[in-house]
């Protein structure tokens, strides 16, 4: 049986409006509201506006984080939502983000992080 410490969603968000993805205040607002929509507890918020365009930012939550980098000229945002524990569902945040950015399409995948095995497993990587 496999248990995981966290759930990590990587989302490719396409077809968004240039002005929306290039507005650092709007991107921050949508990311913060996505965390709240999922029931997360916000700890810190940091966002940066690039020149000539683009925004990067992170919302640190007690349960882990939400992060984004935008390419407004392509109508694209790379988003990740990582939550630990069972209380916060990362898909709630991801769905809120897709609506908030008015995405035409989203390709999202979930990866279980920190998987723990009930029986010892052969070591896969030697460091």
């Amino acid at each position: 049986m496999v248990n995981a410490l966290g759930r990590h969603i990587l989302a490719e968000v396409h077809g968004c409006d240039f002005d929306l993805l290039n507005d650092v205040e709007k991107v921050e607002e949508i990311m913060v509201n996505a965390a709240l929509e999922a029931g997360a507890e916000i700890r810190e918020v940091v966002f940066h506006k690039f020149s000539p365009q683009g925004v990067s930012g992170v919302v640190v939550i007690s349960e882990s984080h939400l992060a984004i980098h935008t390419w407004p000229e392509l109508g694209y945002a790379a988003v990740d939502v990582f939550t630990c524990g069972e209380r916060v569902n990362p898909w709630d945040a991801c769905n809120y983000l897709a609506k908030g950015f008015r995405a035409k399409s989203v390709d999202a995948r979930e990866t279980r992080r920190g998987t723990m095995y009930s029986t010892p497993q052969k070591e896969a990587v030697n460091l």
Side-chain angles (χ1 to χ4, degrees):
M1 178 172 165
V2 178
N3 293 319
L5 298 175
R7 300 166 64 192
H8 198 163
I9 296 175
L10 300 177
E12 307 289 309
V13 183
H14 296 277
C16 303
D17 179 76
F18 177 95
D19 292 327
L20 183 59
L21 291 183
N22 204 40
D23 183 334
V24 67
E25 291 173 356
K26 194 66 175 166
V27 171
E28 179 178 330
E29 176 186 331
I30 291 168
M31 293 289 287
V32 165
N33 286 337
L36 294 173
E37 177 74 15
E41 182 178 323
I42 295 173
R43 294 294 181 174
E44 303 226 14
V45 176
V46 178
F47 281 80
H48 177 78
K49 170 78 169 70
F50 291 96
S51 180
Q53 68 249 349
V55 173
S56 281
V58 64
V59 177
V60 178
I61 58 177
S62 294
E63 301 79 9
S64 195
H65 71 271
L66 288 76
I68 190 168
H69 186 76
T70 72
W71 284 263
E73 70 278 18
L74 302 175
Y76 168 74
V79 174
D80 71 279
V81 180
F82 184 14
T83 63
C84 298
E86 298 298 319
R87 194 176 65 78
V88 176
N89 184 343
W91 287 105
D92 291 342
C94 191
N95 290 330
Y96 183 92
L97 292 169
K99 290 177 190 165
F101 289 119
R102 290 177 257 161
K104 289 189 174 51
S105 69
V106 177
D107 179 20
R109 291 172 172 48
E110 179 177 330
T111 299
R112 299 286 176 155
R113 304 297 305 268
T115 54
M116 311 305 266
Y117 297 89
S118 58
T119 58
Q121 298 294 308
K122 186 175 181 180
E123 189 172 329
V125 177
N126 291 323
L127 299 176

